[in-house]
Amino acid sequence: ARAERALHNWLLNTAIMAGRWYEPGFGAPPDSWRGDVDLSTAEKGRAWLQDESANWLAALRVAAAEGRHATVVEVAESLHWFSDQWIYWGHWPEVFAAAADSAERIGDPVLHATQLNYLAWARVACEGRYRDSLVHSGRALVLARGADDERQQAWAHFYSAWAHRKLAEYGAAADHMSRAGRLFEAVGDPEGGLTARHGIALILSESGHAEEAIDAFHRALEYIEQEQGHLEPHAVDFARIGIHSGMAYCFEQLGRPAE
């Protein structure tokens, strides 16, 4: 039993350190970390997380079943930005649903709102369950307002906007995304500010306003240059791909394929 617990702890601790390569404010493992896996680069962290996914996921399931709620939440938190790099793995809804349940059991409304927002992301991005996503982001918004946490309010609006956009409910999407953008500015969240600008451009693009969307995509690129020193590099790379892809779609719609 001791050996099994040690194995599970090793898997989950290593997953946390590997995932933090992609988390704003973290990056490489600290000098104090004494792991025996080479996590010296983000790519090595990604490779370990993917190669060992069946094992650390099994360890996470055990931790949830045993009521080790703080551990479950910490693992999910450390993998939030990494999950964008591996959307089609197939298990992110399970990971974030477990973490939302654990956060609720801990009794911390901000933690609960955070994990509900991640679960809202998983329903949209991984499963295409847009109405279900709105349920989770709506609950997150209520909790975040009750706790007076503007950052999680912003993310709840962002995920609500994303779901409404996928449902072609562009008025609601634009309202939520604008609210998200203002709140991200208020709390000084640069990654949030970038995603909100990108989101506004996507709403304009998909609702048939290609010229306005191109301008909005350019503003998102200008924001990257303006905030370069404050943005997590992997978030920037991911955003640039989406922004250029979005502009290409708009130019195609306008009959300007060379651009």
Side-chain angles (χ1 to χ4, degrees):
R2 285 195 301 272
E4 185 176 50
R5 173 59 66 89
L7 171 62
H8 292 165
N9 288 340
W10 175 80
L11 285 162
L12 296 178
N13 288 335
T14 307
I16 289 167
M17 289 299 166
R20 282 179 176 168
W21 262 113
Y22 298 87
E23 288 292 302
F26 286 97
D31 294 338
S32 59
W33 188 62
R34 293 291 177 263
D36 53 1
V37 174
D38 182 1
L39 299 178
S40 58
T41 68
E43 282 305 313
K44 289 179 178 178
R46 176 207 297 268
W48 188 89
L49 285 167
Q50 292 179 334
D51 291 346
E52 295 291 339
S53 61
N55 294 318
W56 63 255
L57 178 60
L60 186 69
R61 288 169 176 159
V62 171
E66 292 179 347
R68 297 164 59 198
H69 300 306
T71 297
V72 172
V73 170
E74 186 177 14
V75 172
E77 183 66 37
S78 72
L79 296 172
H80 167 52
W81 283 90
F82 171 74
S83 63
D84 262 332
Q85 311 279 329
W86 198 24
I87 290 173
Y88 301 110
W89 173 42
H91 297 285
W92 294 121
E94 177 187 356
V95 169
F96 294 126
D101 180 69
S102 285
E104 183 175 19
R105 292 172 185 272
I106 289 171
D108 184 322
V110 176
L111 278 182
H112 191 194
T114 302
Q115 298 304 321
L116 282 171
N117 276 328
Y118 298 166
L119 181 55
W121 168 84
R123 297 297 188 216
V124 168
C126 304
E127 297 182 308
R129 292 168 56 183
Y130 309 130
R131 295 293 179 198
D132 290 341
S133 177
L134 286 169
V135 171
H136 300 314
S137 59
R139 288 184 65 200
L141 183 58
V142 170
L143 286 165
R145 282 176 173 163
D148 198 27
D149 188 287
E150 291 185 326
R151 187 184 304 275
Q152 290 309 315
Q153 289 178 50
W155 283 111
H157 281 299
F158 173 81
Y159 291 121
S160 294
W162 190 351
H164 281 299
R165 174 172 65 85
K166 299 300 286 186
L167 290 163
E169 297 168 354
Y170 298 118
D175 179 61
H176 279 291
M177 196 64 78
S178 296
R179 291 172 185 267
R182 290 193 294 271
L183 286 164
F184 284 134
E185 293 295 327
V187 300
D189 186 327
E191 283 81 18
L194 174 57
T195 56
R197 284 167 170 79
H198 189 184
I200 286 289
L202 288 170
I203 292 166
L204 288 167
S205 170
E206 294 179 19
S207 60
H209 298 85
E211 292 282 9
E212 296 95 326
I214 291 168
D215 290 340
F217 282 124
H218 278 298
R219 288 195 294 274
L221 289 174
E222 289 167 4
Y223 183 81
I224 289 175
E225 298 307 315
Q226 172 190 327
E227 298 291 332
Q228 188 76 53
H230 305 289
L231 289 163
E232 202 280 329
H234 302 286
V236 169
D237 291 343
F238 197 77
R240 283 188 192 277
I241 293 168
I243 290 166
H244 285 293
S245 175
M247 283 197 290
Y249 174 80
C250 290
F251 284 125
E252 181 187 17
Q253 298 307 302
L254 291 168
R256 293 152 62 183
E259 291 173 269

